[in-house]
Amino acid sequence: MTLSPGARLGPYEVVALLGAGGMGEVYRALDSRLGREVALKALRASFSQDPDRLRRFEREARAAGALNHPNLLAIYDLGTHEGSPYIVSELLEGETLRARLGQGAVPLRKALDYTVQIAAGLAAAHQKGIVHRDLKPENLFLTKDGRLKILDFGLAKLTEPNSVGEEGENAPTVSVMTEPGAVMGTVGYMSPEQVLARPVDHRSDIFSFGVILYEMLSGQRAFRRNSAVETMNAILKEEPPELVETNPNFPAGVDRVIRHCLEKNGEERFQSAQDLGFDLKALLEEAGRRRRPPVVAPRSSKWRSLAAGIGLTLLAAVIFFAARKTVSVSTAPLPIFRQLTFRQGTISGARFAPDGQTIIYSAAWDGKPAELFTTRADGPESRPLGFGTAGLLAVSSGGELAITSGCEFTWGECQGTLALVRLAGGAPRQVLENVHYADWSPDGKTLAVARAVEGRYRLEFPAGRVLYETRGWITHPRVSPKADLIAFLDHPVIGNKAGAVAVVDLAGKKRTLSGKYRNLGGLAWHPSGEELWFSGRQTGRWGSLNQVTLSGRERMILRPPAGLRIQDISREGIVLLDRDEGGSRLIFGAGGPTQERDLAWLDWSTAADISADGRNLLFYEWGHGAPTTYLRKTDGSDAVRLGEGKALALSPDGKWAMVQQETPSPHLALLPTGPGEKKLLPQSGMADYYAATWFPDGKRILLVGEGQDGVPRSYVQDVASGEMRAVAEGSIAVLVSPEGKRLAVYGPDGARYIYLVEGGKPASISGLVPGDTLIQWSADGRSLFVRGPEDPPVRVFRVDLASGRRQLWKELTPSDPVGNVGVSADQRGVLVTPDGKFFVYTYWTALSTLFLAEGLK
């Protein structure tokens, strides 16, 4: 049942959509009798089509509505509308625990506080004979005043005699697999008795509770595997890693409570939520009394002088703990880090030579083109190998280098023509074009390569024999020590580093080993050949060093307070890695030969929009938690913080900033640039927003969003009413003409078109070349500013729509080339005012340092 704002269900008037899920939609509504706002959950029509199911649901919902506890969502009413049931409950302000876990693990005391409240709510429900059966982070809500509420008890099952068949058919966590290998729904939070489709009682909720507490404290799911079947098997047979393995200072009492909750046999778990809550309260009081003696970390500004004169272990503290004011004392041996490079620039690749002591790497130092260098583990000096502009791909056991000869250094990678050359010297021999990554077989005779061919990425071993092909992106192929598997990082979207670790055998059978990670950027086989080490992040700002076994078991090895990427592991287990200090800058300038101005505010400033007169810049910062939107005058005045959210567009009158916010689900909001209150735009049900801009009248917006089916679509939305209609079907519309009647779009065939807002046949745009990015419509509506595909340098052209004439308008090159990895490639990477007088662009930097690490396990 889908409802529009203004719809009435008895005394309740729908105000806006809050979210949608498998059970139906949730709306903000107004109770006209009491003048209060409520949450109205409209359930799917399928409930009304099964009379027995509907009666049972109503009975269970009314029983849950009789519960009265501060940690349970209060249910006010139950009714039907056009034959479909709905539930009315209190309206909560805050976020789900799932959203909070997106920021990483929860601190110990806060996690214990939350779980004490969960236990109290469960105890109240269990005493009434109600079992939740679907306890998970999505059903736990954190209010703004610090209270935790358990949601959806109205959809849980009363404890009553049931056959095994009925339990399995109707349990909300059982129907979770939509295709082979897909982990959907809440399978990871099932109790063993739910997995086996046996009758459940209150102790099933206690098992799910233990899974949630483990995830809160570790930041990792307790039983997550590559498929639903493997996850359920782990629930039945395996134990999650002990928390003390990753943190020796972790309270043993907390770990014991978790283990007691996670007993496979319900008879061996806590027998009541009340007993569980008692133990948790004791641990919370103990945590409040604990005091950890601090050790002041050395100042990071002195690391260069320290490196020359003090021990290697202290250097490790300087490099990896400089961002912390204090660190905890630990008796566990610390890994030793040895710095290898000392110049400023970006490293693209590094490998051990066959002797295990020589390191070969490629880097663009001091703003110069990338070239190959060699250094030793026992010395700080690097020397160039003299092979000209090149990037390192791999080093064979026989001392032969696979390199990209004459490569273009783009976004920290050196990609181009594969060439082979002996480490001992000689001229490189070119062998294959369009190669992005490569690795040698253990015997040094065969290469595995990842390259682009006709718009698709291929993994070949040997070169020319395709083992795996994708429309996505393949990076960092590594041949196993037995040469029977090729591991690689599998990215579903080209250019996006999110993805997973996968392997493919010599018959072309692919398996995904890890869960999904963001910013995957390094991969190496452990010498044992039974596990892979890789760099990436699932939560938090910084990446971590992780391990996954061939059976899919994952664990975190190291999480430093800085960017980190693994490059290689020696036969002795020494790890070669680099640390990246990245950032983004905002450069403002005029169309003429005037001096440019850096308008970046913090360290990850990203442009979103510039006012038509060039006086105000809308941007966001995203390096320190959730994105935050700012407005800054282009004269260099201090930036003004507008509020949380990813900035998208500035209204034509400059009074509103449109932003995307993520809590409780992706939605659009308007932040005032002056006096005023935030406005929430009506929910569109989008899973994500790609781009949004205003129509000239300031009453409508053009947006591109991804629906629940993962397909991007373009819409025009009325700001006041929230009414939406699809436009440019099958295309991505990004620009609105000055008169508001035409749209510039990316067509499904890769070409660019002009669409009429009111519909009609699209017209192709002449004068464009493949790879052009649409930037701005000119003020007179007769031309478009577009960004050419070259990078670097970035060229902006003005294309006449009538004649197709293409004229270079501006070439953008950051004045400081050191560490520059490219101008942002997204839609807002380059901004131009309609009159062509002013521009802003965002460019990224990465400064790398190469290290050896000993003692990592």
Side-chain angles (χ1 to χ4, degrees):
M1 170 171 64
T2 301
L3 304 172
S4 302
R8 299 191 67 87
L9 288 76
Y12 307 107
E13 179 181 353
V14 174
V15 177
L17 177 69
L18 293 178
M23 300 297 293
E25 292 88 20
V26 181
Y27 298 86
R28 181 188 296 268
L30 179 65
D31 185 341
S32 59
R33 298 169 302 182
L34 301 177
R36 66 179 175 184
E37 286 193 318
V38 297
L40 188 151
K41 174 174 283 189
L43 301 174
R44 294 181 305 185
S46 60
F47 273 79
S48 61
Q49 296 170 3
D50 185 342
D52 291 337
R53 187 181 185 192
L54 180 58
R55 281 194 298 270
R56 188 179 67 207
F57 164 77
E58 291 176 345
R59 184 175 68 248
E60 295 170 2
R62 293 187 189 284
L67 294 172
N68 182 18
H69 191 276
N71 297 118
L72 301 178
L73 179 72
I75 297 178
Y76 297 146
D77 197 3
L78 177 69
T80 59
H81 177 71
E82 297 179 352
S84 296
Y86 64 86
I87 296 175
V88 181
S89 65
E90 65 178 318
L91 181 66
L92 302 177
E93 298 290 340
E95 64 179 354
T96 64
L97 178 59
R98 170 63 67 214
R100 168 59 185 84
L101 290 174
Q103 305 171 26
V106 180
L108 175 63
R109 290 192 62 188
K110 181 61 68 175
L112 290 175
D113 178 42
Y114 289 158
T115 50
V116 165
Q117 296 186 60
I118 299 171
L122 287 177
H126 291 170
Q127 287 174 2
K128 297 289 186 179
I130 300 177
V131 179
H132 195 290
R133 300 193 315 144
D134 197 20
L135 205 62
K136 56 186 177 181
E138 289 82 352
N139 282 336
L140 299 172
F141 196 93
L142 310 176
T143 67
K144 290 184 176 180
D145 61 0
R147 189 176 298 278
L148 185 143
K149 295 270 189 176
I150 306 176
L151 310 182
D152 278 355
F153 257 111
L155 303 182
K157 183 175 180 61
L158 287 171
T159 52
E160 58 183 359
N162 259 325
S163 68
V164 173
E166 181 182 356
E167 179 68 18
E169 177 183 351
N170 296 300
T173 56
V174 171
S175 299
V176 294
M177 289 178 289
T178 59
E179 60 184 19
V183 180
M184 305 290 288
T186 52
V187 63
Y189 302 92
M190 283 181 173
S191 64
E193 50 267 39
Q194 285 179 300
V195 171
L196 296 171
R198 294 173 177 170
V200 301
D201 59 16
H202 61 280
R203 293 170 295 188
S204 177
D205 284 348
I206 291 175
F207 186 96
S208 301
F209 176 99
V211 176
I212 294 168
L213 178 55
Y214 183 95
E215 185 173 350
M216 275 199 283
L217 294 173
S218 68
Q220 304 292 324
R221 299 195 184 188
F223 298 104
R224 183 172 185 171
R225 300 295 185 268
N226 293 328
S227 69
V229 172
E230 290 173 317
T231 299
M232 290 189 286
N233 187 62
I235 290 172
L236 293 175
K237 300 179 181 179
E238 299 178 15
E239 301 290 340
E242 293 187 359
L243 294 174
V244 294
E245 290 181 1
T246 55
N247 184 354
N249 292 317
F250 199 88
V254 178
D255 199 68
R256 283 194 297 270
V257 166
I258 294 174
R259 300 291 155 186
H260 198 18
C261 291
L262 296 181
E263 292 288 351
K264 308 300 184 185
N265 184 348
E267 297 292 336
E268 297 175 4
R269 294 177 208 145
F270 285 98
Q271 294 301 292
S272 74
Q274 191 171 16
D275 291 342
L276 171 59
F278 180 85
D279 281 10
L280 289 169
K281 287 179 182 178
L283 290 170
L284 181 59
E285 292 174 359
E286 179 184 350
R289 294 191 298 266
R290 295 176 71 224
R291 293 292 184 269
R292 297 182 180 181
V295 176
V296 179
R299 294 183 180 271
S300 58
S301 61
K302 298 181 179 180
W303 64 267
R304 288 185 181 273
S305 58
L306 289 170
I310 62 175
L312 299 174
T313 301
L314 184 56
L315 175 61
V318 175
I319 297 301
F320 285 97
F321 299 107
R324 300 181 181 179
K325 293 183 180 179
T326 61
V327 294
S328 299
V329 172
S330 172
T331 58
L334 291 173
I336 297 174
F337 297 92
R338 187 178 310 158
Q339 187 172 347
L340 297 176
T341 60
F342 302 89
R343 297 170 69 178
Q344 287 206 326
T346 307
I347 294 168
S348 64
R351 294 288 186 273
F352 284 104
D355 63 6
Q357 295 297 310
T358 302
I359 294 94
I360 314 298
Y361 70 92
S362 55
W365 292 135
D366 306 320
K368 298 176 181 179
E371 58 179 314
L372 270 63
F373 298 86
T374 181
T375 188
R376 294 276 300 176
D378 54 1
E381 300 294 333
S382 291
R383 65 177 181 85
L385 287 176
F387 297 138
T389 303
L392 179 68
L393 296 176
V395 180
S396 77
S397 56
E400 190 168 19
L401 309 183
I403 66 174
T404 47
S405 179
C407 73
E408 293 185 3
F409 192 72
T410 305
W411 295 100
E413 306 287 355
C414 238
Q415 302 170 348
T417 301
L418 172 66
L420 305 180
V421 63
R422 299 293 302 178
L423 179 58
R429 176 174 59 90
Q430 295 187 351
V431 295
L432 191 63
E433 294 183 340
N434 298 322
V435 172
H436 291 199
Y437 301 89
D439 192 40
W440 288 100
S441 60
D443 60 9
K445 297 179 180 180
T446 311
L447 274 170
V449 300
R451 63 187 185 121
V453 179
E454 298 178 351
R456 296 177 68 92
Y457 272 79
R458 293 178 176 178
L459 180 59
E460 303 174 359
F461 183 71
R465 180 172 179 265
V466 179
L467 292 182
Y468 176 66
E469 187 175 57
T470 177
R471 291 188 180 277
W473 189 27
I474 297 170
T475 64
H476 302 280
R478 301 302 297 266
V479 184
S480 69
K482 297 179 182 178
D484 58 339
L485 295 171
I486 314 297
F488 61 99
L489 302 181
D490 193 17
H491 312 272
V493 179
I494 292 178
N496 189 329
K497 290 188 175 182
V501 179
V503 293
V504 61
D505 63 21
L506 302 188
K509 182 181 178 181
K510 177 214 167 189
R511 288 187 294 137
T512 299
L513 300 182
S514 76
K516 293 182 180 179
Y517 286 77
R518 291 176 287 174
N519 201 32
L520 279 171
L523 183 67
W525 284 94
H526 188 270
S528 67
E530 298 299 320
E531 61 190 53
L532 288 146
W533 290 26
F534 63 98
S535 315
R537 64 186 175 98
Q538 288 183 311
T539 60
R541 177 183 179 188
W542 305 112
S544 55
L545 181 61
N546 312 283
Q547 174 209 75
V548 62
T549 66
L550 292 179
S551 63
R553 190 176 184 88
E554 297 178 56
R555 72 177 179 91
M556 183 187 300
I557 299 169
L558 175 69
R559 175 178 278 173
L564 174 148
R565 177 175 58 170
I566 187 170
Q567 295 283 357
D568 204 6
I569 305 177
S570 72
R571 291 188 298 270
E572 293 75 25
I574 299 173
V575 181
L576 180 63
L577 51 85
D578 68 82
R579 183 194 65 172
D580 286 331
E581 293 182 355
S584 56
R585 313 303 299 173
L586 297 177
I587 304 300
F588 167 79
T594 58
Q595 187 174 2
E596 296 180 348
R597 178 181 295 130
D598 188 339
L599 292 181
W601 186 241
L602 301 180
D603 55 348
W604 288 95
S605 303
T606 304
D609 205 356
I610 185 172
S611 61
D613 60 9
R615 295 182 179 180
N616 292 289
L617 172 65
L618 183 72
F619 68 98
Y620 61 95
E621 296 281 351
W622 55 276
H624 300 270
T628 304
T629 291
Y630 291 84
L631 187 70
R632 189 176 193 184
K633 292 188 178 299
T634 55
D635 63 6
S637 303
D638 285 353
V640 177
R641 184 183 185 275
L642 301 184
E644 291 188 0
K646 176 184 175 181
L648 296 174
L650 193 63
S651 64
D653 60 8
K655 294 181 178 180
W656 298 98
M658 180 168 31
V659 303
Q660 176 182 343
Q661 296 181 333
E662 299 296 333
T663 304
S665 59
H667 63 277
L668 298 180
L670 301 181
L671 304 180
T673 59
E677 298 292 331
K678 179 179 78 170
K679 297 180 181 180
L680 292 179
L681 293 182
Q683 285 279 13
S684 64
M686 292 292 179
D688 195 10
Y689 293 92
Y690 294 163
T693 190
W694 294 80
F695 275 75
D697 58 13
K699 299 179 180 179
R700 296 170 295 165
I701 58 175
L702 172 68
L703 61 91
V704 180
E706 179 182 298
Q708 300 300 326
D709 57 3
V711 177
R713 294 182 176 88
S714 304
Y715 297 90
V716 173
Q717 182 174 18
D718 185 272
V719 174
S721 69
E723 180 181 352
M724 296 175 59
R725 67 181 180 88
V727 294
E729 188 65 31
S731 301
I732 298 177
V734 292
L735 299 180
V736 182
S737 65
E739 79 285 354
K741 296 182 179 180
R742 294 171 293 166
L743 306 175
V745 309
Y746 297 94
D749 57 357
R752 280 68 169 156
Y753 295 93
I754 301 294
Y755 272 78
L756 295 178
V757 175
E758 300 304 323
K761 186 177 180 180
S764 60
I765 304 174
S766 59
L768 301 184
V769 301
D772 275 349
T773 302
L774 304 173
I775 295 177
Q776 178 63 277
W777 218 301
S778 65
D780 60 11
R782 297 178 179 178
S783 59
L784 290 173
F785 291 96
V786 303
R787 170 181 174 175
E790 304 88 358
D791 186 6
V794 172
R795 293 184 174 90
V796 178
F797 298 87
R798 187 165 183 159
V799 178
D800 185 85
L801 294 175
S803 65
R805 183 188 177 200
R806 182 184 183 93
Q807 183 179 6
L808 180 64
W809 176 79
K810 186 74 176 178
E811 188 172 287
L812 307 176
T813 303
S815 58
D816 183 3
V818 177
N820 173 24
V821 297
V823 173
S824 178
D826 66 14
Q827 182 64 30
R828 295 297 184 179
V830 179
L831 301 171
V832 179
T833 56
D835 59 11
K837 291 183 178 179
F838 305 99
F839 64 89
V840 173
Y841 63 93
T842 305
Y843 77 93
W844 311 98
T845 62
L847 298 177
S848 307
T849 307
L850 198 61
F851 290 90
L852 291 178
E854 297 182 58
L856 290 176
K857 297 181 180 178

